[in-house]
Amino acid sequence: MTIPTSTLDATAVTPLPEAVGRSPGQLMWLRFKRDRAGIGAAVIVLFFFLVAILAPVISMVYGKDPYTLYGQENPGLLNDFGYPVGANGGVSSQFWFGIEPGLGRDVFTQLVYGIRTSLLIAVVATVLTSLLGVVLGIVAGYAGGRVDSLIGRVIDIVLSFPAVLFTIAFMPVVENLFVRPDEQTPVWLRAVTLVIVLSAFGWAGLARLLRGQVLTLREREFVEAARVTGASPARVVFKELLPNLWTPILIQSTLLLPALVTAEAALSFLGVGMIEPIPDWGRMFLRGTEVYQNDITYLVFPGVALLVFVIAFNLLGDSVRDAFDPKIKR
């Protein structure tokens, strides 16, 4: 039996019952809720953020802080070589994750405050990076011509620049400019410098992506219609282009944050990140590589925490991408 073409056409354009009367945001949320991996990743990410926000409360309830040298102040916690006397790095009911070899600081509160440090720097850098990428990407794609060519060359230079080597060489220069030889480097200077460096080298990828999107969108009928009606370039950008760019912006920002957390930890591991006594995951890694032969436990805790956070955030980014645009779901 042959089915009439009109029936096939009507069936093809008939929306699914779940899509009737729902906004794009509601449909996105509906698709996201069905992704169990995405929901699980979101719960883990939310847990890390809550730990970072509530770090002082956790420290107060736990009864310890990340700065006190418990191993040196309390005899019997460290042996003559500076390693924890107890098994598994000194893990006990008093010190949940053990104590740091040498200085004897509490590992649990170091880890909690390390999350706070890494996330604070990464979140600020992600916001600045996204702003730079959005502005320069949209300007390059919409303006075209020499402006597009100039911004394109800057993007190519930034993407090809050795960011890590530049940061290692740049940090001592900043300290020599703003800190006298007889003074200690302020914590805020290191934090601000890290945010600036991470933002300066992180925006180019987003800008290139948005430039390509804008080059396609500016030739669409709704943009041409807005121009014909006399809309200003600012109105075209904010009313016509930007609403169609929120999906790639949100997806890229979601994937960018864990990358910046890892980058901040790597810079601290290399000695150009946050300085003592501020707790930091990267510096915990550095100390862990020095003592792992005698106390592997101290290296395990920050390693597992960073691994879980990065994997969860990447899974969350993939789930958000699939929820916004199910056509690209693998």
Side-chain angles (χ1 to χ4, degrees):
M1 182 179 65
T2 304
I3 300 176
T5 305
S6 58
T7 303
L8 291 175
D9 294 339
T11 303
V13 300
T14 301
L16 296 174
E18 65 180 17
V20 177
R22 297 181 184 270
S23 66
Q26 291 173 329
L27 290 176
M28 187 277 293
W29 175 242
L30 184 64
R31 288 191 291 265
F32 180 76
K33 287 194 300 183
R34 292 177 175 175
D35 190 343
R36 294 183 179 180
I39 293 296
V43 171
I44 295 174
V45 169
L46 179 61
F47 170 77
F48 275 94
F49 273 93
L50 287 177
V51 169
I53 294 171
L54 300 176
V57 178
I58 295 173
S59 177
M60 181 180 63
V61 174
Y62 179 56
K64 295 178 180 63
D65 62 73
Y67 309 107
T68 303
L69 308 180
Y70 297 101
Q72 297 183 8
E73 295 179 358
N74 301 295
L77 294 178
L78 298 175
N79 60 24
D80 295 337
F81 299 99
Y83 292 102
V85 174
N88 300 318
V91 174
S92 64
S93 58
Q94 184 181 7
F95 299 97
W96 293 355
F97 288 1
I99 55 178
E100 178 186 2
L103 297 177
R105 294 179 293 194
D106 180 71
V107 177
F108 176 73
T109 51
Q110 273 196 311
L111 193 64
V112 169
Y113 274 83
I115 298 173
R116 186 184 181 94
T117 302
S118 298
L119 279 182
L120 178 60
I121 294 175
V123 167
V124 176
T126 299
V127 172
L128 292 179
T129 299
S130 300
L131 288 176
L132 283 172
V134 169
V135 171
L136 294 176
I138 292 178
V139 169
Y142 186 75
R146 294 182 178 179
V147 174
D148 183 22
S149 178
L150 176 61
I151 296 179
R153 299 295 77 75
V154 174
I155 291 175
D156 292 337
I157 293 173
V158 172
L159 289 177
S160 62
F161 210 81
V164 176
L165 293 178
F166 176 83
T167 305
I168 294 175
F170 181 68
M171 197 66 71
V173 175
V174 173
E175 293 182 359
N176 289 332
L177 288 175
F178 296 98
V179 182
R180 293 186 300 182
D182 58 337
E183 293 181 347
Q184 186 177 5
T185 302
V187 173
W188 67 265
L189 181 61
R190 277 292 181 98
V192 170
T193 306
L194 282 175
V195 169
I196 293 175
V197 170
L198 292 174
S199 302
F201 290 105
W203 63 271
L206 178 59
R208 171 173 285 182
L209 174 65
L210 294 182
R211 171 187 173 275
Q213 296 279 343
V214 173
L215 286 174
T216 302
L217 289 173
R218 72 177 186 178
E219 306 299 331
R220 300 282 294 274
E221 292 80 2
F222 64 91
V223 176
E224 291 294 336
R227 290 173 178 167
V228 170
T229 57
S232 63
R235 181 176 177 82
V236 172
V237 169
F238 286 102
K239 296 294 184 179
E240 307 296 339
L241 294 178
L242 196 56
N244 291 280
L245 297 173
W246 281 120
T247 297
I249 292 173
L250 181 58
I251 293 172
Q252 291 301 312
S253 298
T254 305
L255 296 174
L256 180 63
L257 195 145
L260 292 180
V261 169
T262 306
E264 188 276 333
L267 292 175
S268 295
F269 178 83
L270 294 172
V272 292
M274 297 304 294
I275 58 178
E276 292 281 8
I278 301 301
D280 185 88
W281 280 359
R283 208 170 57 254
M284 292 182 72
F285 278 118
L286 178 60
R287 181 58 178 159
T289 58
E290 298 171 350
V291 302
Y292 75 94
Q293 292 183 335
N294 296 289
D295 184 12
I296 189 63
T297 307
Y298 185 78
L299 183 61
V300 167
F301 286 117
V304 171
L306 183 60
L307 180 65
V308 171
F309 176 80
V310 172
I311 292 177
F313 225 112
N314 285 332
L315 288 176
L316 178 61
D318 290 340
S319 298
V320 170
R321 179 195 60 194
D322 296 339
F324 269 108
D325 192 354
K327 293 182 294 183
I328 64 176
K329 186 174 183 179
R330 295 187 298 273

